[in-house]
Amino acid sequence: MTPAPDQRPRLLLVDDEPTNLQVLRHILQADYRLLFATDGERALQVAREQRPDLVLLDIMMPNLDGYAVCRALKANAATASIPVIFITALTDSQDETAGFDAGAVDYITKPVSPPVVRARVRTHLSLVRLDELRETRLQIVQRLGRAAEYKDNETGMHVIRMSYFAQLLALAAGCSPAWAEDLLNAAPMHDVGKIAIADRILAKSGALDSHEWSEVQTHCDAGRDLLSQSSCPMHQVGATIAHQHHERWDGTGYPGGLAGDRIDQVAHITALADVVDSLLCPSCYKPAWTLDAALAHVQAQRGQHFDPKLVDLLIAERAAVESIYRNRPVGKHRAT
């Protein structure tokens, strides 16, 4: 019978003194898979090849010291996310500050205390797992949104880019980073109700007749109904966005004809982000608009379709909008 693979986290221990590595090995070997390096160059090679979950790194080493190793790890996209804990005999506060400036997440002084080492390693590995869970959650939500976009979008990337526009607007409006991140996570679900709309309608290249347009409008209620059944707070935000993102500031939107502050802020922000990216995307019935043309359009709709304050913030953040536009994938989108 083939033994089960060892799934324990993998740590890279780096110190030019073998005795120090032996001390760490005795402390950590029962709970972790261990990799070793006795110089900076070897540490960088092992990190690139083995991708450890965490690095315990000495500072005072010949040739390439710990600061230089840490900076090199953080400069490489393949290893930048690996947390680094310095373990060193240097105890001056300036040394500790230099370690954090180099990119370390923690600082343990020698001689080490086994309980402290174990606790610090557990803590930072837990933070890594939390970050991974957050990233996985975002990817799942983005794929849920893209599942709807694939029905009328060749690449399904609209949901990703517009969610970054929404996050940008939330931060510009003075919302907290945590609130803006929640919106980033929820905004991709704005059109999830399109799953309930017939493909023949969403794929139609010509104008929709009145019956088809009425059916398209039901995607707002369908999205709300789908997401509101979940107790997850993010899904509840998504339900509000899905239901209200086609409402307009002047009350001429759908499905409820809400106006002004009766529309939730998350919906106001998502609506503006959605329209901007839709204009920037080529579609079956229009070429992609330039950024200047898209911003001119939303400016013209200030106080009609869109919250005036959000339009002003968007215009003021033009450079950041362009950066997202240039660096996020482009898709094809039917604005509904």
Side-chain angles (χ1 to χ4, degrees), residues 213-231:
W213 181 239
S214 294
E215 183 170 344
V216 164
Q217 291 181 346
T218 65
H219 81 277
C220 296
D221 289 332
R224 177 201 56 192
D225 294 345
L226 175 65
L227 295 171
S228 63
Q229 296 178 36
S230 169
S231 60

Side-chain angles (χ1 to χ4, degrees), residues 302-322:
R302 182 183 184 278
Q304 300 176 52
H305 190 159
F306 307 115
D307 180 340
K309 293 180 181 178
L310 291 178
V311 171
D312 294 343
L313 291 172
L314 182 73
I315 301 300
E317 294 289 339
R318 188 191 189 288
V321 171
E322 184 167 14

Side-chain angles (χ1 to χ4, degrees), residues 132-191:
E132 290 175 347
L133 286 172
R134 287 173 176 166
E135 179 63 23
T136 299
R137 182 182 69 174
L138 176 57
Q139 291 183 11
I140 290 172
V141 169
Q142 288 177 340
R143 279 158 177 75
L144 177 62
R146 289 173 66 183
E149 288 297 320
Y150 273 126
K151 299 189 67 161
D152 69 336
N153 183 330
E154 289 187 4
T155 65
M157 295 299 177
H158 165 67
V159 294
I160 296 176
R161 194 168 61 185
M162 61 79 57
S163 67
Y164 282 94
F165 285 144
Q167 182 189 40
L168 171 67
L169 277 169
L171 292 172
C175 301
S176 70
W179 195 94
E181 184 175 355
D182 287 343
L183 179 56
L184 171 73
N185 290 328
M189 296 183 284
H190 69 287
D191 267 343

Side-chain angles (χ1 to χ4, degrees), residues 53 73-74 76-83 128:
D53 296 287
L73 289 171
K74 298 306 170 183
N76 186 337
T79 57
S81 64
I82 301 173
V128 169

